[in-house]
Each structure stands twice: as C-alpha cells, then as structure tokens.
Amino acid sequence: RSHAQSPSLPPATQPDSLRMPIRWSVAGKSGAAAAVVHLPHGARIKAEPDALITMSGGVEVGACMDGGFVGGLLRSALGGVSLFSQTLSASRSDGEVVLGATDVGDIELVRLQPHAPLLLSKGAFLAADEAVEVSTSTQRTVGGALFSGSGLFVLRASGQGTLALAAHGAIMSYTLEPGEVRAVDNGHLVGWTEGMPLEM
C-alpha cells in the first residue's frame, strides 16, 4: 500500500541528547486554563491548529500529519480533530508558546510512556511533544461505545513525552488500583489508559 507523504519538517538544530528539555506548565488551572510551553532552541511541539494564543519571536509555525495522509484523514473524520496538526518550532532561539482550548475549561498535562497509550474523547487533544503520535482507535466494548459519550471511535495517543488534554470544566485525575471500579457519568470521560476496561 502506498501512502502520501506528510509535509516535511526542517531538521532540529541540535541532537536530542544535547538539547534542554521542553518545559510545560498550566496557568489558570480549573478555569480558562492555558498551557505555557518553554521551547529550547531546536525543539518542536505539535498542537491543534486553533490552539495557539501567543508566541515569542523565535518560534516558527508549520504543519504536519500524524500517520501520513491516510492517518490524518481518519483522525479528522473519526476522531474529531483537524486534518493537520500545527507545529511550533524554536528554530532561531529559545521560545515560548501559550496554548488554549476553544472552550473555556481546564488543561491537564500527562507524561506518556511507550508501554501505556491513552485513549482520548473527541476534542480532548490540545498539544503534545513531537514524539507523541495521535491516531484513531475503536472502543473495545459496545457499552463503552454507546453509553460513554465518546462514541465508537476515539483518539489514541502513544509514544513518549508530554501530552496536553483539554476539557470544558475542571479535569480530575484518578489512578485506579487493580480491581478498583469508578463510575463516571456519560460524556465526562476525557482520557483513560488503553488497557483499562470500560463497561456500561
């Protein structure tokens, strides 16, 4: 099978091993929140196209497609996000960007690990490190698809790096112990680990 190539991106100016880490923080937590990202020279992140609020002079704006053209189409049609992701690169010097969601609400920063992908409700993706891949997936149970409020198709975030989630209202995070059960009302799930059973 052949796939169309996504837009090429300029190479980073420094090897990853020598670059300072990207610093993420949230301003205005639980009410009109914004993600503040400090980019060292050569670093790049990706975000929803309408997420950018402001950026410093050393940042350049571009575009990319996770998973190539076909992956971008599926993510846009089934996952409720844009066909292209916006890229923000500190190509000339260190830089800062401020990101926000379309709806007034909260932002949660999650540190993704390669062995623990996250499933996201439609509209929950805001931004992520460049190494995080956002694709589409299907819910594992009929009950989850019909009654969770997320639908059959959800977003899947995988890889390693920081992921910024957005939601209308405050985001509360829970870590469930083995065998622990928590009930969540329809439409209020933002994200959950891929291996967690979701039942009606």
Side-chain angles (χ1 to χ4, degrees), residues 36-62:
V36 182
V37 189
H38 295 275
L39 298 168
H41 184 204
R44 181 187 299 118
I45 64 169
K46 54 191 171 187
E48 275 291 274
D50 56 356
L52 181 63
I53 297 174
T54 182
M55 65 182 187
S56 62
V59 177
E60 290 187 353
V61 179

Side-chain angles (χ1 to χ4, degrees), residues 74 77-80 120-122 136-139 145 150-155:
L74 290 173
L78 304 177
L120 314 176
S121 295
K122 292 180 181 179
T136 55
S137 182
T138 56
Q139 297 217 45
S150 302
L152 175 62
F153 296 98
V154 292
L155 294 175

Side-chain angles (χ1 to χ4, degrees), residues 46-53 61-64 81-88 99-100 102 125-126:
K46 54 191 171 187
E48 275 291 274
D50 56 356
L52 181 63
I53 297 174
V61 179
C64 72
V81 296
S82 302
L83 178 62
F84 290 91
S85 293
Q86 186 178 67
T87 59
L88 301 161
L99 309 169
T102 303
F125 172 73
L126 179 67

Side-chain angles (χ1 to χ4, degrees), residues 109-120:
L109 301 179
V110 178
R111 184 66 184 176
L112 271 184
Q113 298 298 333
H115 61 278
L118 281 184
L119 300 182
L120 314 176

Side-chain angles (χ1 to χ4, degrees), residues 61-196:
V61 179
C64 72
M65 270 192 218
D66 275 340
F69 182 71
V70 173
L73 283 177
L74 290 173
R75 195 174 61 254
S76 177
L78 304 177
V81 296
S82 302
L83 178 62
F84 290 91
S85 293
Q86 186 178 67
T87 59
L88 301 161
S89 309
S91 55
R92 297 191 295 273
S93 62
D94 292 354
E96 178 195 81
V97 298
V98 180
L99 309 169
T102 303
D103 295 327
V104 175
D106 203 1
I107 293 173
E108 183 79 10
L109 301 179
V110 178
R111 184 66 184 176
L112 271 184
Q113 298 298 333
H115 61 278
L118 281 184
L119 300 182
L120 314 176
S121 295
K122 292 180 181 179
F125 172 73
L126 179 67
D129 284 336
E130 187 180 20
V132 174
E133 182 177 350
V134 181
S135 57
T136 55
S137 182
T138 56
Q139 297 217 45
R140 296 185 175 186
T141 65
V142 175
L146 294 178
F147 303 109
S148 67
S150 302
L152 175 62
F153 296 98
V154 292
L155 294 175
R156 182 180 187 269
S158 60
Q160 185 167 4
T162 299
L163 171 69
L165 306 179
H168 181 66
I171 298 176
M172 302 179 70
S173 177
Y174 294 93
T175 300
L176 302 185
E177 299 298 328
E180 183 181 353
V181 176
R182 175 168 289 273
V184 181
D185 202 8
N186 297 349
H188 289 278
L189 272 176
V190 178
W192 60 98
T193 53
E194 187 175 44
M196 187 187 76

